[in-house]
Amino acid sequence: MASVTSLSDSVHQRLAAALSAALPQAGSAAPLLRRSDRADFQANGILALAKKEKANPRELATQVVSGVESGELIKDVEVSGPGFLNITLTDRAITANLAARYADDTGRLGVPHTEQPGTTVVDYAQPNVAKEMHVGHLRSAVIGDAVVKLLEFTGENVVRRHHIGDWGTQFGMLIQYLEEHPHELDHKADEVSGEEAMSNLDRLYKAARGLFDADEEFKTRARRRVVDLQAGDPQTLATWQKFVDESKIYFFSVFEKLDMEIRDADIVGESGYNDMLAETCRLLEESGVAVRSEGALCVFFDDIKGPDGNPVPLIVQKSDGGYGYAATDLSAIRDRVFNLKANSIIYVVDARQSLHFKMVFETARRAGWLGDDVKAHQLAFGTVLGKDGKPFKTREGETVRLVDLLDEAIDRASAVVREKAQDLSEEEIAERGTQVGVGAVKYADLSTSANRDYKFDLDQMVSLNGDTSVYLQYAYARIQSILRKAGASRPAAHPELELHEAERALGLHADSFAATVAEAATEYAPHKLAAYLYQLASLYTTFYDKCPVLKAETQEQIENRLFLCDVTARTLHRGMDLLGIRTPERL
């Protein structure tokens, strides 16, 4: 089905035509349309245009009003204040436009695909091999997944990348220890759960670290093993691969609990660029972008200085010949630009790494790998805080394990569902509890602008009141309950009916879904979609309170209100899905 023109776009077109007719010398003019509490829409653009053309704004506004055709779309346009236009739409237009979206059997609700799709690489959900995922990994995973879903929904070609930490000196220590204690991981990968696999690795890491710190001879052997790993020694690589495989079992189990799809082909860790590092350094040095300083290969920046006033360089290669994160990140940019043909690269990474990425991006620009046709952007996110406003820790002061956090959210949510459940079995309560608990954690993250810190408060997250996913999920489940109770009455649009004020507000907001999705995708801002959905659920609550559905006065009114219910439910379902959150039919 073709996309549906929104009511605001239709009104914009009418006003723009009237403006151009009133001031043909001004060319195309923007009415600056927005929603208003004084009417359905307000146009503010006439003031700026009148000032530019040295015209009287109120007279120009009056002239524009005379050129706007009323009828099927616009019921009334009036001049307000110094030259604002207040526009009221017909009830017929609101219902008919929603009916067109409702008729979209693709599930897109008339949302168009982008006219010029490109290729965007999204780098997110970057756990470390042989280490448990903690609360700090939550935001990259959840925000990145929502951005991927939004971009894919608008038609963008998205390449997912999980840049896992799977390379470096710690692996020499681990590999050497396992070489000398071969039975430590003596099991088949498919015989253990993800958490058991990571528990084994965690135990192995602690044992290896203890020996590394206590035994100088082992430390020497471990460092020699790092050289073997970097040189591609087959036996060393085979052992290293065991660690990666064990860790992936765990990664997949955590992401499954988070209700996220992670595909093995999308996992390209630091090791994936190992063969490119030497060439990356050579290209930077030959082009003069990087220079040798005290034996290290460095890139300097005029505006980046340390506390002593001296320039702080980006070190691409260390003086001992080893490579740092910069070499890997720059090699990844080369791969994404020249092999994956990316137009945009989005890094969903902690804000504390902003300086590093600023330097990496500038280096890539100087080298000609990034430019006007290829852009890199760090979608920097803030810190997850505890109720005390400090970084979220356990009572013992340790970092909170992500699995423990999710399990507690599911337990809390299950208790809420059990309290409200009327006809659900224990199995259904457990399933809904998981969907509500995980959804609560995701929504709390996504309803906050990514660059802001936010407090992790499970009591608030699973509350039925306020800006929570549970509130949205219950709105959706309530609608499904009404539709089930409707009997022979079916949702059907009746544009001929007059609408209650609450019906109009709900219909107008539902119509702006496409514009909100486009804005959230373009700005990589899932929180804007979350805010839209919360307002939709709030407007539905008002509608539900003021407009009887199954006990409406006429059969046509019953059908039209069922139609408004179903449009709202479909919009909630699609919007929540784009945030990676389930909408259970019953709660």
Side-chain angles (χ1 to χ4, degrees):
M1 175 179 173
S3 60
V4 179
T5 302
S6 69
L7 292 168
S8 60
D9 283 347
S10 297
V11 173
H12 183 281
Q13 291 167 9
R14 300 282 181 90
L15 290 180
L19 266 172
S20 296
L23 277 179
Q25 70 273 21
S28 59
L32 299 182
L33 201 66
R34 64 177 181 83
R35 288 298 310 279
S36 171
D37 55 3
R38 296 175 179 270
D40 293 335
F41 294 98
Q42 186 176 81
N44 302 332
I46 289 176
L47 294 176
L49 186 61
K51 183 177 181 181
K52 179 182 176 182
E53 298 296 326
K54 295 181 172 54
N56 182 301
R58 193 169 176 86
E59 289 179 3
L60 177 58
T62 302
Q63 192 175 352
V64 170
V65 169
S66 65
V68 175
E69 294 182 18
S70 58
E72 290 287 309
L73 176 64
I74 296 176
K75 178 181 179 181
D76 182 54
V77 184
E78 65 173 16
V79 179
S80 174
F84 301 123
L85 296 183
N86 290 332
I87 302 104
T88 302
L89 305 187
T90 65
D91 291 347
R92 173 178 291 277
I94 295 172
T95 304
N97 218 54
L98 282 183
R101 296 191 182 283
Y102 189 72
D104 184 354
D105 57 7
T106 67
R108 296 186 59 82
L109 297 168
V111 177
H113 286 94
T114 184
E115 294 181 2
Q116 295 181 313
T119 296
T120 297
V121 174
V122 182
D123 186 331
Y124 69 110
Q126 311 105 342
N128 295 307
V129 165
K131 292 183 180 179
E132 289 186 297
M133 293 177 68
H134 54 78
V135 67
H137 292 109
L138 177 67
R139 301 208 72 184
S140 178
V142 171
I143 296 169
D145 187 54
V147 169
V148 166
K149 289 178 183 294
L150 280 164
L151 290 173
E152 287 181 337
F153 187 67
T154 61
E156 183 78 353
N157 174 37
V158 178
V159 180
R160 310 171 188 209
R161 278 293 176 265
H162 308 297
H163 191 85
I164 64 172
D166 64 352
W167 207 244
T169 55
Q170 69 170 335
F171 291 99
M173 178 184 74
L174 284 163
I175 292 167
Q176 187 61 34
Y177 184 84
L178 188 62
E179 188 75 19
E180 298 175 10
H181 303 79
H183 300 298
E184 289 283 351
L185 288 181
D186 193 12
H187 61 258
K188 294 181 180 179
D190 58 1
E191 292 179 350
V192 297
S193 70
E195 290 186 46
E196 287 174 323
M198 188 50 67
S199 177
N200 287 332
L201 282 179
D202 188 59
R203 174 178 46 78
L204 183 70
Y205 179 84
K206 289 176 180 176
R209 168 57 69 181
L211 190 59
F212 186 86
D213 291 339
D215 188 333
E216 285 297 323
E217 291 185 2
F218 175 76
K219 183 181 291 186
T220 300
R221 294 195 298 274
R223 286 174 171 166
R224 193 180 303 128
R225 184 65 67 174
V226 175
V227 177
D228 293 339
L229 177 64
Q230 293 176 338
D233 173 63
Q235 182 180 345
T236 302
L237 282 175
T239 307
W240 167 81
Q241 191 65 52
K242 282 186 180 181
F243 291 123
V244 175
D245 293 342
E246 293 277 308
S247 296
K248 282 184 178 180
I249 296 171
Y250 166 74
F251 296 158
F252 287 131
S253 72
V254 176
F255 288 126
E256 183 179 7
K257 184 166 284 192
L258 260 175
D259 199 15
M260 280 176 53
E261 179 192 24
I262 299 291
R263 301 176 299 217
D264 192 59
D266 300 330
I267 299 175
V268 183
E270 295 166 357
S271 63
Y273 308 101
N274 193 49
D275 293 342
M276 299 176 66
L277 302 181
E279 185 180 23
T280 294
C281 291
R282 179 181 61 80
L283 291 171
L284 291 172
E285 189 168 13
E286 288 180 355
S287 64
V289 172
V291 296
R292 292 287 170 182
S293 176
E294 299 181 14
L297 186 62
C298 304
V299 182
F300 289 91
F301 310 87
D302 292 336
D303 59 338
I304 301 176
K305 293 181 171 62
D308 57 2
N310 293 324
V312 176
L314 180 70
I315 300 175
V316 184
Q317 187 178 26
K318 303 172 187 175
S319 57
D320 63 2
Y323 301 103
Y325 291 121
T328 304
D329 288 333
L330 288 163
S331 297
I333 288 176
R334 288 177 53 217
D335 176 66
R336 293 163 182 183
V337 171
F338 300 111
N339 294 334
L340 300 179
K341 308 299 182 185
N343 307 107
S344 301
I345 312 173
I346 310 302
Y347 293 80
V348 189
V349 182
D350 193 312
R352 287 170 291 189
Q353 296 188 45
S354 294
L355 178 59
H356 169 76
F357 279 100
K358 177 183 178 182
M359 297 164 82
V360 166
F361 295 162
E362 176 58 26
T363 299
R365 276 189 285 270
R366 292 181 187 179
W369 305 333
L370 295 175
D372 293 338
D373 56 337
V374 186
K375 290 183 170 56
H377 172 72
Q378 182 194 358
L379 180 49
F381 56 81
T383 303
V384 181
L385 306 175
K387 291 182 181 180
D388 59 2
K390 298 177 182 178
F392 197 32
K393 303 280 187 181
T394 65
R395 289 180 180 176
E396 294 74 30
E398 296 178 0
T399 303
V400 179
R401 295 197 320 158
L402 184 52
V403 169
D404 293 341
L405 182 149
L406 294 175
D407 285 343
E408 185 177 355
I410 291 169
D411 288 344
R412 297 277 192 95
S414 296
V416 172
V417 173
R418 180 175 284 104
E419 184 181 330
K420 292 288 183 180
Q422 297 178 350
D423 55 353
L424 297 180
S425 66
E426 279 300 312
E427 184 179 351
E428 288 173 321
I429 289 173
E431 180 188 4
R432 304 297 193 277
T434 298
Q435 294 174 343
V436 172
V438 173
V441 171
K442 287 185 172 183
Y443 186 84
D445 195 314
L446 294 171
S447 59
T448 304
S449 177
N451 60 10
R452 291 177 54 196
D453 299 342
Y454 80 95
K455 291 184 180 181
F456 195 92
D457 183 347
L458 274 177
D459 292 329
Q460 174 58 31
M461 289 179 186
V462 299
S463 172
L464 289 168
N465 302 309
D467 189 4
T468 68
S469 67
V470 193
Y471 178 70
L472 274 62
Q473 288 169 323
Y474 264 95
Y476 178 82
R478 173 186 279 172
I479 295 172
Q480 297 308 315
S481 176
I482 292 172
L483 294 174
R484 286 192 296 271
K485 293 175 181 176
S489 298
R490 307 307 305 156
H494 288 277
E496 72 278 4
L497 294 179
E498 288 187 15
L499 298 178
H500 184 280
E501 181 183 351
E503 292 176 296
R504 290 178 58 85
L506 181 62
L508 284 166
H509 190 69
D511 183 69
S512 61
F513 178 63
T516 303
V517 168
E519 183 180 9
T522 301
E523 298 180 11
Y524 316 125
H527 71 280
K528 294 195 171 183
L529 176 58
Y532 168 88
L533 294 172
Y534 173 61
Q535 188 176 358
L536 180 67
S538 299
L539 289 169
Y540 179 78
T541 299
T542 302
F543 159 79
Y544 179 82
D545 290 341
K546 296 186 176 181
C547 303
V549 178
L550 300 181
K551 294 183 179 180
E553 295 178 1
T554 67
Q555 182 61 29
E556 289 79 13
Q557 198 172 49
I558 291 173
E559 293 172 353
N560 199 62
R561 287 180 177 174
L562 284 171
F563 157 72
L564 282 172
C565 287
D566 206 10
V567 168
T568 302
R570 294 185 186 190
T571 306
L572 280 171
H573 175 75
R574 172 54 67 190
M576 293 284 270
D577 180 65
L578 291 175
L579 296 180
I581 300 173
R582 303 278 180 177
T583 44
E585 299 286 311
R586 298 173 186 264
L587 280 177

